[in-house]
Amino acid sequence: MSANKKLLILAGDGIGPEVMHQVERVIEWFDRKRLVRFDTSEALVGGCAYDVEGAPVSDATMAKAQDADAVLFGAVGGPKWESLPFAMRPERGLLRLRKELGLFANLRPAVVFEPLLGASTLKPEVISGLDIMILRELTGGVYFGEPRGVATLPDGQRRGVNTQVYTTSEIVRVGRVAFELARKRRNKVCSVEKANVMESGELWREEIQKLHDAEYQDVELHHMYADNCAMQLVRNPKQFDVIVTDNLFGDILSDCAAMLTGSLGMLPSASLGAADSTGQRKALYEPVHGSAPDIAGKDMANPLASVLSFAMMLRYSFDMTEQADMVEQAVKNALALGVRTSDILQANTARVSTSVMGDTLLRELDKLG
Ligand code: IPM
Ligand code: MG
């Protein structure tokens, strides 16, 4: 059996804990089968952390996250905390984790599972076989740029400011991840910005092109404006392989790409830092969906995005390709059985709860392993 691996579980708010519980069952399954053992610990993040610890993520939790081999994250936020001052909002916990762990590369795959073809609002022929990777820069741009804030002007108006800012090194390091990912896929990168109206976008385009010409000439590179990319994603998404873009455009385009697949409840993500001298990267894995307060606590949420995020962890943090494939196959098999949470329900399928989806996954894992 492989050596113990340190995981920090931050289930968060809303449906976070119930979907994470299904991941914990998968972790226990691996343990029981003696395939891999994890040292897991848990901590609070988001609104629940604010309620108990007075901050959306405490310093003690940050220290645990720094010390972990990987962080598994659920979701944060809810109406209860919406009127808190900006610095105390649940989302700030997630943003602090991203920033202080240096998780600049956010991988958001959008893959269509064939049994779910009919769950998408797009025509089956447009999305059948779709497999694209959105690589979002995650620690820069307008999310963190200074100056920022709201000030009151002498005439009594208020003025809100956020700053879009990127440096060469920030662009190049995420560009490098994009080209490396493409080499393991279909060897195509589309770099997305608004170079037609933003200087930072023009810089982005130039730096990505330079990196390509210097080190990655074997990879096909295109540039696209973000508005056109949004349109192309719905018109003909299969033209893309890897899309690399900044923090804000990546936030928007990845939601769009997610819906191509039929449900936000299916989409995992990985957020990775730079490799250290031993090749290890800080990493956080989270479903793309949010905390869905409207269905929280009802045993209705789709746990598959969280389970698929766990599979990404096996793949990217621990190089456990075989085990990652096994988890992904179990998800595919469960879907092929016609088992569906309500977000992906279709004609002739059975609506099941979060926990029954978990039961099904474990049974499918049993058959595989
Ligand atoms: C995401 C979310 C976050 C973001 C929020 C919750 C801060 O929308 O991960 O896409 O905007 O990055
Ligand atoms: Mg988002």
Side-chain angles (χ1 to χ4, degrees), residues 108 136 143 251-252 254-255 288:
R108 300 191 162 190
R136 167 187 177 191
Y143 272 61
D251 179 45
I252 298 165
S254 64
D255 265 26
V288 172

Side-chain angles (χ1 to χ4, degrees), residues 197-250:
V197 287
M198 296 162 76
E199 285 81 355
S200 60
E202 192 173 38
L203 179 77
W204 181 284
R205 182 174 287 222
E206 287 169 6
E207 294 298 341
I208 295 281
Q209 186 66 51
K210 254 197 258 173
L211 175 65
H212 170 267
D213 296 349
E215 296 178 41
Y216 296 99
Q217 285 193 29
D218 55 301
V219 181
E220 192 181 322
L221 172 66
H222 298 272
H223 302 277
M224 199 179 269
Y225 298 140
D227 52 347
N228 185 26
C229 182
M231 188 268 275
Q232 296 295 340
L233 270 173
V234 225
R235 191 184 75 90
N236 174 22
K238 282 189 258 180
Q239 69 185 283
F240 297 109
D241 179 18
V242 175
I243 292 175
V244 61
T245 189
D246 77 14
N247 205 342
L248 184 60
F249 293 142

Side-chain angles (χ1 to χ4, degrees), residues 45-59:
V45 72
C48 60
Y50 173 78
D51 288 346
V52 176
E53 300 171 340
V57 63
S58 68
D59 292 345

Side-chain angles (χ1 to χ4, degrees), residues 179-208:
F179 290 122
E180 298 289 342
L181 281 170
R183 277 181 176 165
K184 294 187 188 152
R185 296 170 48 94
R186 298 186 301 279
N187 221 30
K188 265 169 68 172
V189 170
C190 180
S191 171
V192 173
E193 25 57 14
K194 285 281 286 179
N196 51 346
V197 287
M198 296 162 76
E199 285 81 355
S200 60
E202 192 173 38
L203 179 77
W204 181 284
R205 182 174 287 222
E206 287 169 6
E207 294 298 341
I208 295 281

